[in-house]
């Protein structure tokens, strides 16, 4: 066994969720400036439900500005459209959806998963090969765990398991807290787009918050301070 310390945990990165897209034109125009302003690892595209041909055309319009910025484009659900639209992967709403989508996404594309209500489900998703696990998103009724419960789940996962974990933040405070708790990525969405200063200002602020949280995290949460 090596006595070397594990490498430091990299600073968390942003995962930007779009509003529901029913006409991508304004988003296509806005994305290059947004993605150049902050450290965004991936963009989660939420598509309005309509016919597949239309949804594929929307994905094809959004993919270039996202991918040119060095970010991954993921589709919320709709794993069957990922390859046809040129996306990088899909975010899947639970274990059953993950299991169904894995054959079509792997090994070339990203399969992320949310809707994990128990630790057991989380471990199952990790064993099945999920590329990341999202904790804290609202359920179909809009209910979600408390911020503290989400932070505790992130801390538990980050300490014990390899696949990256993502915290679903609904405010700047949550973005900071989840980054401090061990999230590898922090998903931000509605509060970014609703900011009266504009999405770019909000995104820059969220990026600074998660980097600050990482920098000030105690050694127990940042393996750089541990000795094996």
């Amino acid at each position: 066994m090596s006595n070397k310390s594990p490498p430091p945990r990299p600073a968390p990165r942003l995962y930007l969720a779009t509003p529901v897209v029913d006409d991508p034109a304004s988003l296509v125009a806005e994305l290059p400036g947004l993605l150049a302003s902050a450290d965004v690892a991936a963009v989660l595209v939420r598509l309005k439900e309509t016919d597949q041909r239309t949804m594929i055309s929307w994905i094809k319009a959004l993919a270039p500005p996202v991918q040119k910025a060095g970010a991954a484009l993921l589709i919320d659900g709709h794993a069957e459209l990922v390859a046809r639209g040129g996306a990088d992967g899909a975010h899947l709403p639970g274990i059953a959806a993950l299991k169904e989508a894995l054959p079509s996404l792997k090994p070339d594309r990203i399969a992320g998963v949310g809707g994990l209500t128990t630790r057991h489900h989380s471990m199952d998703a990790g064993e099945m090969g999920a590329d990341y696990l999202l904790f804290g998103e609202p359920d179909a009724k809009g209910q979600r765990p408390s911020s503290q419960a989400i932070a505790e789940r992130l801390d538990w996962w980050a300490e014990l398991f390899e696949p990256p974990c993502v915290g679903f933040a609904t405010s700047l405070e949550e973005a900071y807290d989840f980054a401090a708790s061990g999230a590898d990525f922090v998903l931000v969405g509605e509060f970014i787009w609703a900011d009266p200063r504009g999405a770019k200002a909000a995104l820059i602020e969220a990026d600074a918050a998660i980097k600050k949280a990482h920098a000030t995290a105690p050694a127990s949460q940042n393996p750089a301070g541990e000795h094996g």
Side-chain angles (χ1 to χ4, degrees):
M1 293 290 287
S2 168
N3 286 326
K4 287 184 180 177
S5 300
R9 184 168 67 86
R13 302 183 68 196
L14 289 168
Y15 185 4
L16 176 64
T18 70
V20 175
V21 173
D22 61 0
D23 176 6
S26 61
L27 198 55
V28 167
E30 190 174 6
L31 277 169
L34 270 181
L35 299 179
S37 70
D39 181 24
V40 178
V43 175
L44 178 65
V45 175
R46 293 172 165 154
L47 298 169
K48 182 180 178 181
E49 294 287 336
T50 183
D51 63 280
Q52 286 201 347
R53 181 176 293 181
T54 301
M55 289 193 284
I56 290 167
S57 73
W58 292 343
I59 298 167
K60 285 182 174 178
L62 289 162
V66 172
Q67 293 165 344
K68 281 177 187 170
L73 179 82
L74 279 82
I75 308 303
D76 194 8
H78 298 293
E80 74 282 0
L81 304 183
V82 167
R84 291 158 69 189
D88 297 293
H91 175 75
L92 304 156
I95 291 285
L98 175 68
K99 187 173 185 178
E100 184 180 336
L102 277 171
S104 68
L105 293 172
K106 292 292 194 175
D108 299 321
R109 290 180 166 84
I110 298 165
V113 65
L116 304 167
T117 53
T118 67
R119 292 189 175 196
H120 183 72
H121 276 166
S122 304
M123 290 187 284
D124 284 348
E127 287 173 5
M128 286 168 64
D131 290 296
Y132 70 78
L133 283 72
L134 174 66
F135 298 124
E137 80 273 41
D139 63 18
K141 297 178 182 176
Q143 303 295 311
R144 66 196 290 263
S146 68
S147 293
Q148 183 178 351
I150 298 166
E152 287 171 357
R153 183 67 59 90
L154 289 163
D155 184 48
W156 162 75
W157 184 267
E159 193 168 316
L160 297 175
F161 302 100
E162 281 295 315
C165 56
V166 185
F168 185 108
T170 60
S171 66
L172 191 65
E173 293 74 24
E174 285 190 348
Y176 181 95
D177 290 346
F178 296 164
S181 298
D184 298 285
F185 302 91
V186 176
L187 188 144
V188 296
E190 287 179 21
F191 80 94
I192 298 293
W193 303 103
D195 194 297
R197 300 167 301 166
K200 183 185 280 192
L203 197 64
I204 291 169
E205 193 172 52
D207 191 29
I210 66 173
K211 298 294 192 282
K212 182 180 178 184
H214 175 262
T216 57
S220 62
Q221 290 174 346
N222 191 336
E226 295 179 1
H227 294 280

